Amino acid sequence: MAAPADLIRKIRRIEITTRRAVQDTLAGGYHSVFKGRGMAFSEVRPYQPGDEIRAIDWNVTARLGSAYVKRYLEERELTVLFLVDVSASGRFGTRVRTKQALAVEVCAVLALAAARNHDRVGAVWVTDRVERFVPPRRGREHALRVLRELLAFETAGRGTDIRRALEVLRRVVTKRAVLFLVSDFEDRGYERTLRALARKHDVVAISVSDPREAALPEVGLVAAEDPETGAVVVLDTGSGWVREAYSARASSRRQATAAALQGAGVDLLDLSTGEPYDLPLVRFFRERARRVARGGG
């Protein structure tokens, strides 16, 4: 675990790094793309031509002698939960940052945006078990607590079991929430549970990857270790056939993941360690906001 001083410096650096992205994310439509808990009664007002007849409050109308209608406002408070895959494969990275570091920064942007929107923020860390659950609460300090624990927490597991974490969320999160599922999706068998969860909650999948996972360099014999299982395989990267087969397999896995998430009714945002994440994040929210405005959900 990082020493307190080191941890504070990391959090401060992430805060500074992500500040513009937080503002851009809010401007990009965070507030408008996620619905609140429902409609709450606000007040009654005099009836105006064009108002729905069903909105008339007949008790107030009878008492005051003229027509009044009920006015409702959307309850904007949201519960935002981050399900973050912190398995060993997230420690891989060959460019600007590791996959796990990318996941942390994106979660920081979204958590701080949620806090600025007065939403409740919580998180679940998952490997091949549920490692940690931080109950949702409001406030910037709590959002920073989520970030601090994500940076400092030492996992017990190395593998990935997304389904198990989703099952836990199905049991403990009873009211509608926004769920960000952040993972490299080196896992299978979670699709049915995710589909059931997405029927009740607004689920967004954020896939983090590294360019080296999609293409091998031509550097001769390479010993590659699976960080989750410890299995080692020697690859002859000097062989064009090996490089092509590696790329084809990676492409097939990406397509299978995208199809599984789409089939579950979940939006997908792809992010790479080799590219800035702020513009894709803002673009994602703007596109989603336009879809919501058109009535596409």
Side-chain angles (χ1 to χ4, degrees):
M1 182 179 295
D6 292 339
L7 196 57
I8 290 170
R9 281 195 292 271
K10 283 185 179 180
I11 292 171
R12 183 60 181 157
R13 180 189 62 77
I14 290 175
E15 268 199 283
I16 293 171
T17 303
T18 61
R19 184 175 297 157
R20 176 64 181 272
V22 171
Q23 296 169 348
D24 288 348
T25 298
L26 286 170
Y30 170 91
H31 180 90
S32 60
V33 298
F34 298 118
K35 297 178 181 178
R37 293 181 299 174
M39 304 300 289
F41 173 73
S42 174
E43 62 184 0
V44 293
R45 61 166 175 76
Y47 175 85
Q48 298 174 357
D51 285 340
E52 285 276 352
I53 299 297
R54 289 174 296 181
I56 292 177
D57 187 323
W58 294 106
N59 291 330
V60 175
T61 296
R63 190 164 62 247
L64 298 180
S66 58
Y68 277 77
V69 295
K70 295 178 181 179
R71 183 169 178 260
Y72 292 85
L73 293 176
E74 182 185 0
E75 294 185 84
R76 273 303 312 171
E77 180 191 276
L78 296 172
T79 294
V80 179
L81 281 167
F82 296 92
L83 194 159
V84 188
D85 173 4
V86 290
S87 59
S89 62
R91 300 168 197 166
F92 181 74
T94 62
R95 299 299 173 91
V96 179
R97 54 177 72 83
T98 64
K99 292 188 288 183
Q100 194 170 84
L102 173 59
V104 168
E105 288 202 21
V106 172
C107 287
V109 170
L110 295 171
L112 291 170
R116 287 186 59 177
N117 204 51
H118 308 294
D119 295 335
R120 288 154 38 95
V121 175
V124 180
W125 320 147
V126 56
T127 55
D128 49 19
R129 66 204 75 183
V130 175
E131 298 272 359
R132 182 85 168 89
F133 175 58
V134 181
R137 291 190 176 88
R138 295 187 200 89
R140 177 178 172 276
E141 290 306 313
H142 181 71
L144 290 175
R145 176 199 167 190
V146 170
L147 175 59
R148 182 171 64 249
E149 295 206 15
L150 183 55
L151 284 168
F153 189 75
E154 294 182 353
T155 63
R158 294 176 60 85
T160 309
D161 191 341
I162 294 173
R163 183 192 61 79
R164 180 177 296 185
L166 295 175
E167 290 285 4
V168 170
L169 287 180
R170 282 185 67 186
R171 293 195 298 270
V172 302
V173 183
T174 55
K175 294 182 179 179
R176 180 177 173 83
V178 176
L179 171 63
F180 290 101
L181 172 55
V182 187
S183 175
D184 57 9
F185 293 97
E186 295 291 332
D187 191 24
R188 290 293 179 268
Y190 56 81
E191 295 85 356
R192 181 180 297 181
T193 308
L194 181 60
R195 189 180 305 115
L197 198 71
R199 291 193 194 105
K200 181 174 182 180
H201 303 288
D202 192 346
V203 184
V204 174
I206 300 178
S207 175
V208 291
S209 63
D210 186 89
R212 190 61 71 227
E213 295 172 320
L216 285 174
E218 188 176 351
V219 291
L221 294 177
V222 172
E225 179 182 354
D226 185 321
E228 297 193 6
T229 66
V232 177
V233 62
V234 177
L235 299 174
D236 180 8
T237 64
S239 166
W241 180 88
V242 169
R243 295 196 306 275
E244 289 174 11
Y246 181 93
S247 296
R249 182 176 181 272
S251 177
S252 177
R253 287 184 66 86
R254 287 196 305 274
Q255 291 173 15
T257 296
L261 295 171
Q262 184 179 16
V266 172
D267 282 346
L268 171 62
L269 171 61
D270 279 308
L271 298 176
S272 170
T273 61
E275 300 172 358
Y277 60 82
D278 50 349
L279 290 179
L281 189 63
V282 172
R283 192 181 306 120
F284 172 81
F285 278 113
R286 285 179 176 158
E287 290 174 356
R288 208 171 195 260
R290 283 196 291 268
R291 193 168 74 239
V292 169
R294 292 196 302 266

